[in-house]
C-alpha cells in the first residue's frame, strides 16, 4: 500500500477564516500579516526552526506545500520561490484571498495529490514549529502497523504526542518537555486520494468525532513554539515529562538538527 505524505504550511496567507486571531476585513488581515517586522520574525521561525528537519528527513519522499498570497511583500515571495527551487519537496502555491479558508487550503493542496497513491497522509505544519528528522519515515512505518483501521473507516489519525514547547518571552528562551495529544505538529490524517478534505478540515482537538486515532508517545517528535506572534498564545493542555539539560541539547541536535546555543544567540539579536 503506497502512502503519499502531503503537507500544507501557511505562510502569512491572507484569508478571513482559519485563524484564532480574528479580523473584520481583508485589509485588516493583510496589514496584520504583512507588517514588515512581523514578516521578518516569521521568516526567522520558518527558516531556523521549521526547515532544518524538513531538509534532513530520513525519508525524503514527501511534499510540503507552502501556501501564501500572490501579493506577499518582497523579499519574502522571492525567498520562498528560491527555497522551492532549492528543496525538491517544497512547493510554493500563491492563493488569492478567499473568504472560505478550507476551500483556499484545498486549492493549494489539490494540484499535488497523487491519484495513484493508495492513501494520502495529510499533515498541516505551522511555519514556526518543527517535526523530527524521521517524522515521515516513522509515519509510514507506523501506518503499516494499523492500516486495517484505515481500511475499515476510510479515515485515521496518527498522533506523535511527545514534544517540546519552545517558549520565547521577555528575551528568554525556554524549552519545556510536554506530551500534547493531537497537537498540530506531527499529527497525520490519512484519507483516500479522492477525498475533498485536507488535514485542516478537521479540528485537531476533536478528531474522535470523525475518525479512530492512534497515539504514539515515543520518541520525541515535535517542537511547538509559543511567542508573541503565535496564533495561539499558550501551551494548551498536556502532561509534563522530564529531560535533563545536557540530554535535551543532544536531542535538539539529533532529532531536529537544531543547536540550542545558536538559537539562543539568534533570538537575542
Amino acid at each position: 500500500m503506497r502512502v503519499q505524505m502531503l503537507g500544507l504550511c501557511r505562510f502569512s496567507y491572507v484569508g478571513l477564516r482559519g485563524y484564532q486571531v480574528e479580523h473584520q476585513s481583508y485589509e485588516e488581515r493583510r496589514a496584520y500579516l504583512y507588517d514588515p517586522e512581523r514578516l521578518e520574525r516569521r521568516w526567522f521561525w520558518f527558516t531556523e526552526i521549521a526547515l532544518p528537519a524538513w531538509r534532513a528527513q530520513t525519508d525524503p519522499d514527501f511534499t510540503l506545500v507552502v501556501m501564501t498570497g500572490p501579493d506577499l511583500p518582497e523579499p519574502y515571495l522571492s525567498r520562498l520561490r528560491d527555497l522551492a527551487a532549492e528543496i525538491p519537496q517544497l512547493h510554493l502555491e500563491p492563493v488569492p484571498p478567499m473568504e472560505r479558508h478550507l476551500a483556499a487550503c484545498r486549492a493549494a493542496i489539490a494540484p499535488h495529490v497523487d491519484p495513484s497513491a493508495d492513501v494520502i497522509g495529510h499533515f498541516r505544519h505551522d511555519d514556526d514549529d518543527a517535526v523530527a528528522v524521521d517524522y515521515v519515515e516513522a509515519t509510514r512505518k507506523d501506518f503499516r502497523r494499523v492500516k486495517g483501521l484505515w481500511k475499515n473507516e476510510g479515515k485515521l489519525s496518527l498522533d506523535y504526542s511527545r514534544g517540546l514547547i519552545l517558549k520565547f518571552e521577555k528575551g528568554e528562551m525556554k524549552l519545556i518537555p510536554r506530551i500534547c495529544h493531537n497537537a498540530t505538529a506531527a499529527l497525520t490524517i490519512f484519507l483516500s486520494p479522492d477525498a475533498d478534505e485536507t488535514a485542516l478540515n478537521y479540528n485537531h482537538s476533536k478528531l474522535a468525532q470523525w475518525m479512530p486515532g492512534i497515539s504514539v508517545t515515543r520518541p520525541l517528535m515535535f517542537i511547538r513554539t509559543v511567542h508573541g506572534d503565535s496564533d495561539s498564545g499558550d501551551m494548551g493542555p498536556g502532561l509534563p515529562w522530564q529531560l535533563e539539560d545536557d540530554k535535551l541539547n543532544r536531542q535538539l541536535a539529533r532529532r531536529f538538527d537544531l543547536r540550542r546555543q545558536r538559537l539562543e544567540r539568534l533570538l537575542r539579536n
Side-chain angles (χ1 to χ4, degrees):
M1 179 173 285
R2 194 167 74 80
V3 178
Q4 181 191 14
M5 291 294 290
L6 177 60
L8 179 66
C9 177
R10 301 170 298 176
F11 188 87
S12 295
Y13 172 70
V14 178
L16 283 183
R17 302 182 185 180
Y19 301 94
Q20 294 190 42
V21 176
E22 296 184 352
H23 297 94
Q24 297 302 311
S25 67
Y26 289 118
E27 289 71 24
E28 286 183 27
R29 175 77 77 188
R30 182 178 286 106
Y32 170 76
L33 293 177
Y34 289 176
D35 174 77
E37 293 185 359
R38 182 188 181 278
L39 278 174
E40 189 59 27
R41 292 192 297 268
R42 300 309 296 197
W43 188 256
F44 166 82
W45 295 114
F46 183 52
T47 56
E48 296 295 338
I49 300 294
L51 280 188
W54 287 121
R55 293 177 184 272
Q57 285 295 307
T58 55
D59 181 349
D61 183 14
F62 68 93
T63 297
L64 180 62
V65 177
V66 178
M67 171 185 174
T68 193
D71 62 345
L72 180 71
E74 294 292 356
Y76 302 101
L77 188 57
S78 292
R79 288 179 182 178
L80 286 176
R81 289 196 180 104
D82 290 344
L83 283 175
E86 174 193 350
I87 304 171
Q89 297 88 353
L90 195 151
H91 297 266
L92 179 62
E93 284 290 344
V95 178
M98 296 174 64
E99 182 178 355
R100 299 199 174 274
H101 191 73
L102 294 179
C105 293
R106 181 63 186 170
I109 283 287
H112 304 280
V113 173
D114 183 355
S116 68
D118 297 298
V119 56
I120 311 295
H122 288 275
F123 58 93
R124 59 182 289 184
H125 188 79
D126 290 346
D127 61 7
D128 53 357
D129 291 343
V131 295
V133 297
D134 61 348
Y135 161 68
V136 172
E137 178 183 3
T139 300
R140 279 203 171 94
K141 178 184 69 176
D142 287 334
F143 176 77
R144 288 196 295 268
R145 296 173 175 174
V146 297
K147 62 184 180 182
L149 281 174
W150 178 79
K151 287 182 178 179
N152 288 339
E153 300 284 341
K155 298 176 183 178
L156 178 69
S157 67
L158 176 60
D159 166 42
Y160 292 106
S161 55
R162 186 173 297 263
L164 299 171
I165 305 297
L166 190 162
K167 195 168 186 178
F168 181 68
E169 60 182 0
K170 298 179 180 179
E172 182 180 359
M173 185 183 90
K174 296 180 181 178
L175 287 163
I176 305 167
R178 193 88 167 167
I179 294 174
C180 304
H181 294 293
N182 289 339
T184 54
L187 172 66
T188 309
I189 307 295
F190 294 97
L191 301 170
S192 64
D194 59 355
D196 289 331
E197 297 89 356
T198 73
L200 279 90
N201 281 80
Y202 300 96
N203 184 326
H204 60 93
S205 67
K206 301 177 181 179
L207 282 175
Q209 292 181 344
W210 300 290
M211 66 190 73
I214 302 295
S215 180
V216 180
T217 58
R218 295 180 187 274
L220 172 62
M221 196 62 86
F222 72 85
I223 295 174
R224 178 171 171 258
T225 62
V226 177
H227 51 83
D229 292 319
S230 297
D231 192 42
S232 175
D234 57 52
M235 291 196 300
L239 302 170
W241 61 284
Q242 302 301 315
L243 191 62
E244 298 172 2
D245 261 6
D246 58 339
K247 292 181 180 179
L248 192 154
N249 293 341
R250 289 197 295 271
Q251 287 287 293
L252 273 180
R254 184 180 302 124
R255 301 293 296 152
F256 304 100
D257 201 21
L258 298 175
R259 305 299 183 272
R260 186 174 187 171
Q261 288 185 340
R262 169 182 166 80
L263 287 178
E264 289 176 333
R265 184 178 70 253
L266 290 172
L267 283 166
R268 282 196 298 267
N269 294 337

